[in-house]
Amino acid sequence: MKLLRRVFVLMLVLLMVVVLAACQSDTDTASDNSEEAAATTAPESVEEEEAEAPAEESEEMAEKPTFKIGYIQASSDAYYQMQADAAQLVVDHINENEDYNVEMTVVLSEGQAEKELANIEDFIAQNYDAIIDFTFAAETAQRGAQLANEAGIPFFVVGSTAADGPGQVTSTVKGDFGVMGGMIGSYIADNYPDSNVAIVEGALGQGIVELFEEGFEENLGPGNAIVQKAPADWNAEKAQNIMNDWLTNYDGEFDMVYAMNADIYLGVVRALEDAGLLNDPIKIITHNGRPEDFEGVMEGKAIATNSNSPTYESGVLMKVVTTHLLGETVPELVITPATMVDIDTPENLLGWELDKGVVAFEEYVIGEGAEAEAPAEESEEMAEKPIFKIGYIQASSDAYYQMQADAAQLVIDYINENEDFEVEMTVVLSEGQAEKELANIEDFIAQDYDAIIDFTFAAETAQRGAQLANEAGIPFFVVGSTAADGPGQVTSTVKGDFGVMGGMIGSYIADNYPDSNVAIVEGALGQGIVELFEEGFEENLGPGNAIVQKAPADWNAEKAQNIMNDWLTNYDGEFDMVYAMNADIYLGVVRALEDAGLLNDPIKIITHNGRPEDFEGVMEGKAIATNSNSPTYESGVLMKVVTTHLLGETVPELVITPATMVDIDTPENLLGWELDKGVVAYQEYEIGE
């Protein structure tokens, strides 16, 4: 029987070989015959083992959990591409070495908010285990976090930041942009203490550029100044065009360019080389530590670069994401390293090699022990203190509004550390759009916030917001602007007296330039600011003064510059004074007048804010005076008023914050924009009774 069975098996094998041979080309005949020989001589036990192997492998795979991760890549530019590629290399490493598997799908948003959100919705619909987002807009990432939260899917942000809001990001993995900008500022202060700097920025609104610049400005030396800046959206061609524009009428205004990434560096260096101005006199300092800018440093084309590594960051990211998916706690914020590299310190380079992601995944240790226990202890302490939820609607990401919101957050940090109550504040951006402003108010009402603060671009919108808040029984505060008259009751408005401020400027002109004719480059109409500025201004001009023309620039430097350029095209002495209604408008006006060779001869500028830029202009003689107010001090007054009301005490319906006139002889009058002035105001401001 055993012999018969062996004969039967042999015949069966031979039959299979014949069938296979019929399906193959003549060129495979030799290999077929060798396979046939091997098959006929193979022991029966080997055939059985080979037959069982695939089943064993599938059982082994089935025992390993598989996590599906969706990765949204912001752009196909080198930084984002290499970060995604490094993440995929880490995934390959995981699947070969760990006791779980990862399937990662990478999609491209192309920097478009609608694509980014569509990708997030697709991952949610397909029930992914986690979503990673590299965003070009902090507000978009905030909306993505909300969608993911609703679906119960962990949401991670890499290399960028989600805006404050109700959406909770599981963990953000990024460099400390403020520290990185500060390192560059310090390098200039230490090595080029008298340099004036022009900044070619990345893309505004991601929460990157703004923090780079905050750290940069804070760490520059007293002899340094930022003289101009423009966004190039991380793009070499745009950067080159910006530099070419600046160099058209270049007259030594700056001797240093801060190029915010390697692509921007490439555009800037091309423009400077073409103009014959590279290093003589204009130097470049940059970010990334990518091969291109690192090579530029080593060749002497850039003085230094701030080196970070998107590929290393990918490894840290995948460690954080998978640790969370395995059920462990991860920090809400993970900071990746950065270093300064110049021609003498090439060893500081972090590098962009793809395998650095695997290195980071293997070596990065997520904090444990005391760090993990801290939140629980903190939550017990917080439970003993009342917590007020405040919604803050920021009108724009421009400097005035951003610094006011940042100062308010600093006041909250102070409150939470020192008072017997706590505040949780959510900041959202309306982008000057009435529909967004009202939608934000409705969201805060739906989430039963304890108070709403609104900085409006339209008085009528704030009036409608007050009505909605009144209906919900939620206190409604307006800051830095005014609600229109109507049935909606504003709990308290905290702002400067715009009529008085405009009047102070009018009086200054009447007293010092009694025969001047004035052109006004206005802010944004409809907020209840411009109109009151002008009312006070006109009332206080002298009998020999006149307003000859005006146009709104919406608080924007570029628009102001365009308005001035238009006016100067056929200029024939119609005016000899420009009233620039804020620091951004001043920057646009001064550029236009300098380009035309008319600054102070005959056209002078007077302005508002007392921001570093316009104050510096006054001290340099580019503006005759500025009306100094402080949005950061105003934030402290605001938070004192809001929390006083929430604690059950009466507050005035109108609280006026201070303003002063500053000229070259009275620098001590400056109120200042330092963020900590908010805390000072909160501590010292006494609410009238």
Side-chain angles (χ1 to χ4, degrees):
M1 285 295 292
K2 186 180 290 186
L3 178 61
L4 182 60
R5 185 167 67 249
R6 287 182 178 174
V7 171
F8 176 76
V9 169
L10 181 59
M11 290 177 65
L12 182 59
V13 170
L14 287 169
L15 178 60
M16 290 173 66
V17 170
V18 170
V19 171
L20 287 169
C23 298
Q24 294 177 347
S25 64
D26 293 341
T27 58
D28 292 330
T29 302
S31 62
D32 286 343
N33 290 338
S34 64
E35 287 172 11
E36 179 184 336
T40 57
T41 57
E44 187 175 343
S45 60
V46 173
E47 290 177 17
E48 290 171 357
E49 286 176 13
E50 287 177 356
E52 290 171 4
E56 290 173 5
E57 187 178 340
S58 64
E59 285 173 15
E60 182 184 340
M61 290 177 67
E63 292 169 5
K64 293 173 68 173
T66 300
F67 299 120
K68 287 170 62 182
I69 298 174
Y71 184 114
I72 300 167
Q73 180 181 331
S75 159
S76 58
D77 288 352
Y79 190 100
Y80 314 101
Q81 188 61 56
M82 293 187 75
Q83 192 160 54
D85 291 345
Q88 187 56 60
L89 209 62
V90 175
V91 168
D92 296 341
H93 172 83
I94 288 170
N95 293 343
E96 289 176 10
N97 297 281
E98 300 291 344
D99 55 2
Y100 58 93
N101 289 321
V102 170
E103 292 178 3
M104 187 171 75
T105 302
V106 179
V107 294
L108 199 62
S109 68
E110 297 175 355
Q112 298 176 28
E114 60 275 15
K115 281 195 176 183
E116 187 177 333
L117 290 173
N119 288 328
I120 291 167
E121 289 168 345
D122 285 346
F123 288 142
I124 290 171
Q126 296 172 60
N127 198 28
Y128 271 64
D129 297 299
I131 298 171
I132 297 167
D133 187 24
F134 199 132
T135 189
F136 263 20
E139 285 295 332
T140 308
Q142 168 55 219
R143 179 61 185 144
Q146 294 173 39
L147 294 171
N149 294 169
E150 290 167 10
I153 296 175
F155 187 79
F156 300 83
V157 174
V158 63
S160 49
T161 306
D164 291 333
Q168 296 299 307
V169 176
T170 309
S171 186
T172 298
V173 179
K174 67 180 187 70
D176 189 321
F177 305 132
V179 169
M180 293 160 75
M183 293 167 77
I184 290 187
S186 293
Y187 190 94
I188 292 174
D190 293 342
N191 296 279
Y192 300 89
D194 300 317
S195 275
N196 290 328
V197 186
I199 307 177
V200 186
E201 304 164 310
L204 303 177
Q206 287 179 278
I208 300 176
V209 169
E210 297 80 0
L211 291 171
F212 275 166
E213 291 186 358
E214 182 179 314
F216 180 71
E217 292 184 35
E218 287 175 358
N219 286 276
L220 285 175
N224 301 127
I226 298 168
V227 297
Q228 61 198 78
K229 55 188 176 182
D233 300 335
W234 313 118
N235 182 274
E237 185 178 355
K238 287 185 180 179
Q240 188 169 357
N241 290 338
I242 287 168
M243 281 306 302
N244 286 335
D245 288 345
W246 287 350
L247 296 176
T248 302
N249 297 299
Y250 177 72
D251 192 27
E253 298 85 354
F254 56 91
D255 59 348
M256 180 77 66
V257 176
Y258 171 14
M260 276 199 177
N261 79 340
D263 289 295
I264 293 173
Y265 157 77
L266 291 173
V268 169
V269 78
R270 286 175 201 149
L272 290 177
E273 286 181 325
D274 289 347
L277 295 173
L278 180 62
N279 290 326
D280 185 21
I282 304 174
K283 297 174 176 62
I284 308 173
I285 194 165
T286 186
H287 269 292
N288 277 173
R290 207 167 89 189
E292 294 91 332
D293 59 300
F294 174 66
E295 182 180 293
V297 171
M298 292 302 104
E299 292 177 351
K301 294 183 178 182
I303 59 168
T305 186
N306 183 263
S307 169
N308 65 316
S309 173
T311 53
Y312 189 93
E313 190 168 82
S314 277
V316 175
L317 168 71
M318 297 310 297
K319 186 69 168 277
V320 170
V321 173
T322 55
T323 297
H324 177 82
L325 291 174
L326 290 168
E328 297 181 38
T329 301
V330 296
E332 291 183 8
L333 177 62
V334 174
I335 296 299
T336 51
T339 59
M340 286 304 296
V341 181
D342 61 16
I343 199 165
D344 298 321
T345 56
E347 68 278 4
N348 288 356
L349 185 73
L350 295 176
W352 283 41
E353 297 85 352
L354 289 181
D355 60 3
K356 285 194 179 289
V358 174
V359 171
F361 180 83
E362 291 176 327
E363 75 181 14
Y364 182 75
V365 178
I366 296 173
E368 296 176 350
E371 289 180 10
E373 292 168 8
E377 294 170 5
E378 186 179 337
S379 64
E380 287 174 15
E381 182 184 339
M382 288 174 66
E384 298 170 4
K385 298 164 72 172
I387 299 174
F388 299 119
K389 287 171 60 182
I390 298 174
Y392 185 113
I393 300 166
Q394 181 181 331
S396 158
S397 58
D398 287 351
Y400 189 100
Y401 313 101
Q402 187 63 56
M403 293 189 75
Q404 192 160 52
D406 290 345
Q409 186 58 60
L410 209 61
V411 174
I412 285 169
D413 295 341
Y414 172 84
I415 288 171
N416 293 344
E417 288 176 10
N418 296 281
E419 300 288 2
D420 55 2
F421 60 93
E422 302 228 351
V423 172
E424 293 177 359
M425 186 172 77
T426 301
V427 179
V428 294
L429 199 63
S430 69
E431 297 175 353
Q433 298 175 28
E435 61 275 15
K436 280 195 175 183
E437 187 176 334
L438 290 173
N440 289 329
I441 292 168
E442 289 168 347
D443 284 346
F444 288 142
I445 290 171
Q447 295 172 61
D448 198 27
Y449 272 64
D450 297 300
I452 298 171
I453 297 168
D454 187 24
F455 199 133
T456 189
F457 264 19
E460 287 296 334
T461 308
Q463 169 56 218
R464 177 61 185 145
Q467 294 174 40
L468 293 171
N470 293 169
E471 291 167 11
I474 296 176
F476 187 79
F477 299 83
V478 174
V479 62
S481 50
T482 307
D485 292 334
Q489 296 299 306
V490 176
T491 309
S492 186
T493 298
V494 179
K495 66 181 187 69
D497 189 321
F498 305 132
V500 168
M501 293 160 75
M504 293 167 76
I505 290 186
S507 294
Y508 189 94
I509 292 173
D511 293 342
N512 296 279
Y513 300 90
D515 301 317
S516 275
N517 290 328
V518 186
I520 307 178
V521 186
E522 304 165 309
L525 303 177
Q527 289 180 277
I529 300 176
V530 169
E531 297 80 0
L532 291 171
F533 274 166
E534 291 185 357
E535 182 179 313
F537 180 71
E538 291 184 37
E539 287 176 358
N540 287 274
L541 285 175
N545 301 126
I547 299 169
V548 296
Q549 62 199 80
K550 55 188 177 182
D554 300 334
W555 313 117
N556 181 273
E558 185 177 356
K559 287 185 180 179
Q561 188 169 358
N562 291 338
I563 287 167
M564 281 305 302
N565 286 335
D566 288 344
W567 286 350
L568 296 176
T569 303
N570 298 300
Y571 177 71
D572 192 27
E574 298 86 352
F575 55 91
D576 60 347
M577 180 76 67
V578 176
Y579 171 15
M581 277 200 176
N582 79 341
D584 289 296
I585 293 173
Y586 157 76
L587 290 173
V589 169
V590 78
R591 288 172 198 157
L593 290 177
E594 285 181 326
D595 289 348
L598 296 173
L599 181 61
N600 291 326
D601 186 20
I603 304 174
K604 297 174 175 61
I605 307 172
I606 194 165
T607 186
H608 269 293
N609 276 174
R611 208 166 89 190
E613 295 90 333
D614 60 300
F615 173 66
E616 183 180 289
V618 171
M619 293 300 104
E620 293 176 351
K622 293 183 178 181
I624 60 169
T626 186
N627 183 262
S628 169
N629 65 317
S630 173
T632 53
Y633 189 93
E634 189 168 84
S635 277
V637 175
L638 168 71
M639 297 312 298
K640 185 69 167 278
V641 169
V642 173
T643 55
T644 297
H645 176 83
L646 291 173
L647 291 168
E649 299 180 38
T650 302
V651 296
E653 291 184 6
L654 178 62
V655 175
I656 297 299
T657 51
T660 59
M661 287 303 297
V662 181
D663 62 17
I664 199 165
D665 297 320
T666 56
E668 69 278 4
N669 288 355
L670 184 73
L671 295 175
W673 282 41
E674 296 85 354
L675 289 180
D676 60 3
K677 285 193 178 290
V679 175
V680 172
Y682 178 83
Q683 292 172 324
E684 73 182 15
Y685 182 74
E686 296 290 338
I687 297 175
E689 295 178 353

